[in-house]
Amino acid sequence: MDDYLKEALEIVKAQASVRTMTEDEITSMVRKLVRGIQAIAGDSLVQPQVEDATCEPGKCVREKTITCCVCGKAFKIITKKHLSSHDLTPNEYREKYGYKKGMPLVCKSLQRDRRKKMKEMELWKKRGKK
């Protein structure tokens, strides 16, 4: 096993001990780290690999995080400000990566909490005089 892979596995092992990670997250993190370590080391055998532009919305939206398909960072909410750093608007982002037109760019737990709060507020009912 080459040194880059060993170093990447140690980093991912440490990360996995701190938070819950799926098998896909672990393997993609190892691949990215190996490429990054090789690039930093200046290994001449490294050929730049293009990330696949397809990002499955079903896999990116998780219970506690939503992953940005452009940079791969995890957030609770993908904000307009973050998307502007990639020169995208929320609508362009949704269209480019196959999200439904009105889908909120938030994690499932936050979406559920917001929905519950709005139902409790009952804004659709008129407030009458007592």
Side-chain angles (χ1 to χ4, degrees), residues 4-64:
Y4 304 126
L5 184 58
K6 287 180 183 178
E7 291 174 24
L9 285 172
E10 287 180 35
I11 294 169
V12 173
K13 183 179 175 183
Q15 183 69 26
S17 69
V18 175
R19 69 179 184 96
T20 307
M21 296 176 73
T22 64
E23 187 176 323
D24 293 335
E25 287 177 308
I26 292 171
T27 55
S28 68
M29 189 175 190
V30 169
R31 285 187 191 120
K32 286 179 185 177
L33 283 171
V34 167
R35 279 188 244 127
I37 293 170
Q38 286 175 337
I40 291 170
D43 196 349
S44 61
L45 299 176
V46 178
Q47 295 178 1
Q49 295 180 358
V50 178
E51 290 284 326
D52 55 345
T54 58
C55 182
E56 294 181 39
K59 289 186 178 180
C60 290
V61 180
R62 295 191 189 94
E63 183 63 27
K64 296 195 180 209

Side-chain angles (χ1 to χ4, degrees), residues 32-130:
K32 286 179 185 177
L33 283 171
V34 167
R35 279 188 244 127
I37 293 170
Q38 286 175 337
I40 291 170
D43 196 349
S44 61
L45 299 176
V46 178
Q47 295 178 1
Q49 295 180 358
V50 178
E51 290 284 326
D52 55 345
T54 58
C55 182
E56 294 181 39
K59 289 186 178 180
C60 290
V61 180
R62 295 191 189 94
E63 183 63 27
K64 296 195 180 209
T65 61
I66 180 168
T67 306
C68 176
C69 293
V70 181
C71 62
K73 291 183 181 177
F75 301 95
K76 285 190 174 198
I77 303 172
I78 297 180
T79 61
K80 288 181 186 178
K81 185 176 180 181
H82 174 73
L83 291 175
S84 68
S85 70
H86 301 302
D87 296 323
L88 291 170
T89 65
N91 289 335
E92 290 170 346
Y93 178 84
R94 286 184 189 99
E95 187 177 318
K96 183 174 181 178
Y97 292 103
Y99 287 91
K100 291 180 182 174
K101 189 174 182 178
M103 182 179 177
L105 299 174
V106 299
C107 65
K108 290 178 182 177
S109 64
L110 186 59
Q111 191 173 6
R112 191 178 319 107
D113 292 344
R114 286 179 173 178
R115 188 180 306 118
K116 182 180 174 185
K117 181 109 175 157
M118 293 305 290
K119 283 182 181 178
E120 288 173 359
M121 292 172 70
E122 296 181 337
L123 296 174
W124 57 89
K125 292 185 179 178
K126 290 185 179 179
R127 296 180 188 165
K129 294 180 181 177
K130 291 185 179 181

